[in-house]
Amino acid sequence: MTSPPDRGKSLRAARPSGGVRWLAIGVFLAVPGAATAGAWFDDLEQALSFSSPGGNLRGRVSGTLDLEGHVFADPPGLIESDGHALFSPRLTTFLDAQLGPAVYGFAQARIDRGFDPGERSLEARLDEFALRFTPSRDAGVSLQLGRFATVVGNWTNRHGSWGNPFISAPLPYENPTGIWDNEPPATSTILLQWSHVLPGLPAPVTRVEKRLRVPVLWGPGYTLGAAVLGAWRDVRYALEIKQAGLSSRPETWREANSEAWAHPAVSGRLAYVPNPAWNFGLSAAAGSYLRPEAAATLPAGRSRGDYRQLVLAQDVAFAWRHLQIWAEIFAARFEIPGIGNADTMAWYLEASQRFSPQFQAALRWSQQVFGTIPEAGRAVAWGHEVWRLEVAPAYRFTPQVQLKLQASLQRGDTGNRRFGHGAAGQLTVRF
Amino acid sequence: MNLRGLTCVFALALGIAGAAPPAAVEGRVALAAARPLPVVNQRYEIVTRGGVLATDPPVAIVYLEGPFPPPVDPPVAEIRQKDLAFVPSLLAVQAGTRVEFPNDDDTYHNIFSFSRPKRFDLGRYRSDERPVPSQVFNQPGLITLRCDIHEHMRALIVVLETPHFVVTGPDGRFQLGGLPAGRHTLKAWIDSRTTREVVVELDAGKTLRVDFPGAGNPAGER
């Protein structure tokens, strides 16, 4: 029989790693009996809600705790890692507040290892905050100011960990292209090197270049700006002006200076919603893809405004009973004076089916192809075609606790391999 | 009097006894405190809805406990989804009742329950779909309804074994008639953690007054 001191020693020896500790916290939150846990979450919800006596002002703090892990041959998407595994805990808190019928406000703060997970220590950020003014429901129009997700496409509606059937974003939102945002390529050869089409990147650059590349859209794009939102009969419309374009990185979203606003981006979406089952959208966007700091690298006579990203997009969503389907296609152009236009198309088809109150599974196909640019007298594609197949089963233990798994197979620009594969798990506790 | 005559008299006597006026009970329940009004999450919505939400005030359910036969014809009740809220937000039904869930909104809802007495997920359906999706609630207990799309939406279904129940008014007052005379247990379901009870002696044709105490006088609390 082990004596107490020995037991203590063995416990110390078995001290869990950081990831295991976080996982233990998640399991602790998930394991209590459903009824007990439900009552606890009800109490927490009450404690985090407030309402003035007449209900004119009311608010609620809510959130999610995600314990997320990835294993991969090469870090997929925008994940930064030198190894083959990454543990990524994330605490997200939301504030929703309503003042009378006309004013709605929300904010989102996160503590995590970066907006895109990486081997970094935990950091706290205020990702979103916005005020929305709706003069009258009959008028069908609202004005929104703040830092908020883009109106382009249909993915932002479900990009939170609880509502997203997958752990990662679709390919157009996270597949880095050969475009850098800290300087434009001086020649087509350089762009082809940045795109991994041609060899020749110096070793020091190879180690860090993933941090310089941008996708067509960088996630939900929580950028500072203003938007007009509304509806007229079966048509929904949204128009936003923001300080940075769709491909801008999270660091750019938080930049607040006059240079950041020197070349604002404009985006809009028009949707036809004949009934709740269908939603057809058309989006367009234009804005500089270079960060303000890139101004110093530009040729004489050029400004960031000459390096525009133009996007046309179409999206469709269908839902009925336990089936949901989404699809989006993006045609993006990066204008590069002196080289030409670097065009790319990216699309995905995603479906989710709930098989029981607690179990669902999702399947997604994504693909991205690249146009050509002139190089040494011939036309050369400026990127490798990429496709990715993902499957994601999910199980909800309670209305507050969900476990998602995801397996992916990718072909294309995955380092030295033609095929890349990865798996991920995400335990989410919602409160 | 022959045997047939005796039988008729006996049957008449039984009939008179069966037609005895039922008992009733009335009184007041100290209700639970009102919850804060919810806020509709509209962070990524293009169309702003729900600036004003009409929510039900707290009410209680008073019922006569006891084994009563199940209904011959399963009753039908309904909880509507209207203006991003469940109406009513508290429903009492006898076991065996079918509850329909019409969607009166021009947007989708997704009703589900993870409660042990009844787990289900109705998925998304439009307001014009027929038949209206429904569920039969056979097992007594408490069912919490939620909407997978609108997280602020909640409703409770209290499934009882008895046909003798009533939902109080927002002032806590209730009147429950048509009760069988005799000794029974009268209960008041106030919220998911509070059910009060009292033993009552009901006399045919009479109305008994019962008040269920508030939080300061928890006698009879279970």
Side-chain angles (χ1 to χ4, degrees):
Chain A
M1 185 175 173
T2 310
S3 66
D6 289 337
R7 193 162 61 222
K9 195 182 205 175
S10 64
L11 282 174
R12 279 194 299 277
R15 181 176 292 170
S17 66
V20 174
R21 274 201 302 273
W22 279 97
L23 193 61
I25 293 170
V27 172
F28 171 76
L29 287 169
V31 159
T36 309
W40 187 84
F41 280 108
D42 279 350
D43 287 346
L44 183 64
E45 183 181 325
Q46 292 296 298
L48 296 177
S49 302
F50 63 91
S51 176
S52 63
N56 197 45
L57 172 63
R58 54 191 194 274
R60 184 188 170 211
V61 174
S62 59
T64 53
L65 172 64
D66 301 319
L67 304 177
E68 185 178 308
H70 298 261
V71 290
F72 38 74
D74 293 297
L78 298 165
I79 289 179
E80 291 180 20
S81 174
D82 294 328
H84 298 290
L86 182 71
F87 176 66
S88 172
R90 169 173 286 169
L91 174 65
T92 306
T93 54
F94 300 101
L95 169 67
D96 294 279
Q98 184 81 44
L99 176 61
V103 180
Y104 168 72
F106 65 94
Q108 178 188 181
R110 292 179 179 177
I111 300 173
D112 56 23
R113 301 182 72 182
F115 182 84
D116 299 294
E119 288 167 347
R120 296 180 284 264
S121 52
L122 292 174
E123 63 179 32
R125 297 185 315 278
L126 181 60
D127 275 349
E128 279 187 292
F129 55 86
L131 271 180
R132 184 182 304 172
F133 179 62
T134 307
S136 157
R137 285 187 66 176
D138 296 333
V141 61
S142 302
L143 173 66
Q144 182 165 296
L145 299 169
R147 185 192 296 159
F148 50 87
T150 181
V151 300
V152 168
N154 66 21
W155 181 70
T156 51
N157 284 335
R158 63 183 189 284
H159 75 279
S161 62
W162 186 264
N164 189 352
F166 291 88
I167 296 171
S168 60
L171 201 65
Y173 292 82
E174 67 160 38
N175 185 48
T177 67
I179 298 293
W180 292 7
D181 62 355
N182 68 331
E183 63 173 293
T187 64
S188 55
T189 304
I190 290 176
L191 175 58
L192 294 174
Q193 288 176 334
W194 289 357
S195 305
H196 303 172
V197 172
L198 293 180
L201 270 183
V205 177
T206 303
R207 280 198 291 274
V208 299
E209 54 97 31
K210 189 171 183 180
R211 297 176 196 165
L212 306 173
R213 305 169 76 187
V214 297
V216 174
L217 302 92
W218 198 303
Y222 300 137
T223 317
L224 201 61
V228 176
L229 318 166
W232 183 75
R233 295 188 178 174
D234 293 336
V235 176
R236 311 283 184 265
Y237 58 87
L239 184 68
E240 65 185 12
I241 178 166
K242 291 187 157 184
Q243 72 169 22
L246 295 178
S247 65
S248 60
R249 67 183 61 243
E251 290 85 344
T252 310
W253 306 341
R254 293 187 285 278
E255 283 169 348
N257 53 53
S258 57
E259 179 56 31
W261 273 107
H263 303 284
V266 178
S267 307
R269 179 172 183 264
L270 205 59
Y272 174 56
V273 187
N275 56 56
W278 289 98
N279 193 318
F280 304 92
L282 281 172
S283 301
S288 175
Y289 58 87
L290 292 179
R291 300 182 67 176
E293 69 197 44
T297 69
L298 303 181
R302 295 291 184 188
S303 74
R304 286 198 299 129
D306 298 324
Y307 296 82
R308 292 188 306 163
Q309 182 200 20
L310 306 175
V311 176
L312 279 175
Q314 188 173 354
D315 62 81
V316 59
F318 172 79
W320 188 68
R321 296 298 168 102
H322 302 101
L323 174 66
Q324 294 182 81
I325 300 173
W326 302 271
E328 290 185 273
I329 181 166
F330 297 90
R333 165 169 292 177
F334 294 92
E335 294 178 338
I336 311 172
I339 294 179
N341 297 322
D343 296 338
T344 179
M345 288 189 76
W347 61 86
Y348 70 88
L349 174 65
E350 179 176 317
S352 168
Q353 170 76 34
R354 183 158 292 164
F355 296 97
S356 78
Q358 292 169 280
F359 176 68
Q360 73 171 39
L363 190 67
R364 181 166 65 201
W365 169 268
S366 312
Q367 197 164 4
Q368 183 164 9
V369 296
F370 294 85
T372 58
I373 57 172
E375 163 68 4
R378 58 197 178 96
V380 178
W382 67 281
H384 292 293
E385 179 183 340
V386 178
W387 60 251
R388 191 163 75 190
L389 179 66
E390 294 155 294
V391 59
Y395 189 83
R396 288 186 178 173
F397 296 93
T398 73
Q400 294 87 17
V401 181
Q402 170 179 271
L403 176 66
K404 266 189 289 190
L405 302 173
Q406 179 176 309
S408 60
L409 178 67
Q410 177 169 323
R411 181 178 178 184
D413 186 12
T414 54
N416 297 322
R417 300 171 180 83
R418 285 182 66 82
F419 286 93
H421 58 273
Q426 183 187 63
L427 180 69
T428 300
V429 180
R430 180 171 73 158
F431 60 89
Chain B
M1 186 177 289
N2 58 20
L3 185 58
R4 178 175 291 181
L6 273 174
T7 304
C8 287
V9 169
F10 185 63
L12 185 63
L14 278 178
I16 291 169
V25 62
E26 66 179 19
R28 189 169 188 173
V29 180
L31 301 173
R35 291 174 163 238
L37 286 170
V39 182
V40 181
N41 165 9
Q42 302 176 86
R43 289 167 223 143
Y44 310 115
E45 296 290 334
I46 297 296
V47 180
T48 300
R49 305 168 188 269
V52 179
L53 277 178
T55 54
D56 294 339
V59 290
I61 297 165
V62 178
Y63 61 98
L64 199 66
E65 191 181 53
F68 295 96
V72 178
D73 296 321
V76 178
E78 70 174 22
I79 290 182
R80 309 189 79 85
Q81 302 148 83
K82 186 174 174 55
D83 296 332
L84 304 189
F86 288 117
V87 183
S89 59
L90 176 64
L91 178 70
V93 298
Q94 187 181 8
T97 299
R98 184 163 61 87
V99 179
E100 296 181 339
F101 300 97
N103 177 9
D104 292 345
D105 285 329
D106 59 2
T107 188
Y108 267 151
H109 294 287
N110 190 149
I111 301 176
F112 73 95
S113 158
F114 282 3
S115 302
R116 283 184 193 278
K118 188 74 178 180
R119 291 187 181 190
F120 65 94
D121 184 321
L122 294 180
R124 294 152 200 252
Y125 52 92
R126 299 192 309 269
S127 57
D128 58 352
E129 289 188 40
R130 296 293 180 274
V132 174
S134 63
Q135 292 285 305
V136 176
F137 294 84
N138 286 317
Q139 188 176 337
L142 178 66
I143 287 97
T144 301
L145 293 184
R146 298 167 190 270
C147 174
D148 196 35
I149 301 170
H150 306 100
E151 59 186 287
H152 70 279
M153 288 176 63
R154 299 284 163 76
L156 296 173
I157 299 177
V158 181
V159 183
L160 303 165
E161 288 179 293
T162 174
H164 303 294
F165 58 84
V166 67
V167 178
T168 70
D171 58 356
R173 294 186 189 280
F174 68 92
Q175 192 164 34
L176 183 58
L179 305 178
R183 189 179 176 83
H184 300 278
T185 299
L186 187 70
K187 291 191 172 184
W189 183 96
I190 296 172
D191 61 28
S192 59
R193 295 172 203 175
T194 313
T195 301
R196 303 189 191 286
E197 65 178 52
V198 61
V199 176
V200 294
E201 190 74 41
L202 300 179
D203 295 326
K206 292 187 177 176
T207 298
L208 182 69
R209 171 87 194 180
V210 176
D211 288 338
F212 287 94
N217 181 12
E221 185 175 345
R222 200 179 73 172

